[in-house]
Structures are given as C-alpha cells and as structure tokens.
Amino acid sequence: MSAPERPMPPLDADERASLESWLDFYRTTLARKCDGLTEDQLREATAAPSPITLLGLVQHLAEVERNWFRRVLAQEDVPPLFTPGAHDGGFDLAHGATYEQALPLWQAEIDRARENCAARALDDTSPFMGGQVTLRWIYTHMVGEYARHCGHADLVRERIDGRTGV
C-alpha cells in the first residue's frame, strides 16, 4: 500500500471548507504514519510507559469518528467497533487485531461522517450532555483530537523506524 496524497488545506477557504480540509489533512496524516509498516510494527508500543500503538490510534479514531458523527450528531444507536463493552476507546488491541481489518472500518466511519455532515449546516445542533452541540463544535473538536493523536503517531513512528515528517 502506498501513502495517500495529503493535500494542503486551502489558505483562503470559507469556515466549513477550512474545518473539513484540516480534518481530512489529519486523517491522511495518520494513514501516512502507518504506511509501509508491518502488522507487528503497527502493534508496537514504543514510547514507554505509554501503551499507544499506531494500530490502537487507528482503532481509537474509528471509534471517535463513530461517536461524534454517528452517536452524537446523527443520534444513531451503534455499538463500539472494537472491544465491545470496554471503555478504552479502541486503544487496546485484541489478540489477532490487524491493520488490514481496522483500516476499512476506520475508512467506513470517515465516509459515514462525511455523509452525516453533508446536509447539515455548521450551526445545526444535536443533543449532547443535557444541552446542544453544533456541527461547528464537533468539527473543531475532531481537528484537535486528530492533531493531538498525530503527534503521538509522530513519536511512535520515529521510535519504530526513525521516520519523521509525513
């Protein structure tokens, strides 16, 4: 598998295009951090004492996509993708979990997120924690969530094979 292209977000876009572009930028960044590694390397926790792995990050972000864009935004009742009943957010790796299995699940959640957002305005709201949350807030949160975890992925990848940058 070759690394996906990662276009720079436009410098002069409107708010929605900026939010969507930055979210896609970081989604692609994580995929590029995983590119070219073996299954064993993707399962390797290299930044002790943290147990974070690149595979765990992919699983976690699939769960995060599912939570915000399906459970919260679209009010869908969907179960966890990984480790049902656990509250680890996908970080823990089940015996036999593979990137080959996690990647299409993550991509499907991204595709579903795009579908769920397409017909909504940034000011549209959904019930959340006794109040209302806007799509704008969800996008902003997701950009931050991905940026933070891409930083983790930078450290893990560098420890695996010395590769830096994207």
Side-chain angles (χ1 to χ4, degrees):
M1 172 189 333
S2 64
E5 289 296 316
R6 190 183 75 153
M8 176 72 172
L11 301 176
D12 59 353
D14 64 24
E15 181 182 18
R16 185 180 189 117
S18 291
L19 290 167
E20 290 173 348
S21 296
W22 276 106
L23 183 52
D24 283 340
F25 177 87
Y26 286 119
R27 287 166 169 157
T28 303
T29 298
L30 181 60
R32 291 175 64 94
K33 287 294 173 186
C34 297
D35 186 59
L37 296 176
T38 66
E39 287 288 345
D40 286 342
Q41 289 172 315
L42 290 163
R43 296 176 65 85
E44 190 175 337
T46 64
S50 172
I52 289 177
T53 65
L54 290 170
L55 177 55
L57 286 169
V58 169
Q59 289 184 170
H60 172 69
L61 287 163
E63 293 286 7
V64 171
E65 294 269 356
R66 176 171 270 226
N67 185 61
W68 285 105
F69 293 117
R70 295 184 69 183
R71 290 188 190 109
V72 175
L73 182 67
Q75 297 292 293
E76 295 178 35
D77 183 18
V78 291
L81 291 166
F82 306 98
T83 56
H87 297 287
D88 71 351
F91 282 116
D92 286 346
L93 302 180
H95 179 72
T98 66
Y99 184 68
E100 185 177 327
Q101 295 165 338
L103 183 61
L105 293 173
W106 178 41
Q107 187 58 57
E109 291 303 321
I110 291 169
D111 293 344
R112 187 63 178 266
R114 288 183 179 126
E115 291 171 18
N116 285 344
C117 293
R120 290 177 169 85
L122 291 177
D123 289 327
D124 285 357
T125 61
S126 295
F128 181 66
M129 295 183 68
Q132 296 289 313
V133 64
T134 64
L135 176 56
R136 175 184 290 105
W137 190 98
I138 294 170
Y139 272 139
T140 302
H141 171 73
M142 290 297 290
V143 168
E145 180 86 4
Y146 267 92
R148 181 169 63 103
H149 289 313
C150 283
H152 297 141
D154 284 340
L155 296 173
V156 172
R157 179 66 191 247
E158 186 173 2
R159 292 293 305 266
I160 289 170
D161 67 358
R163 183 173 165 204
T164 61
V166 291

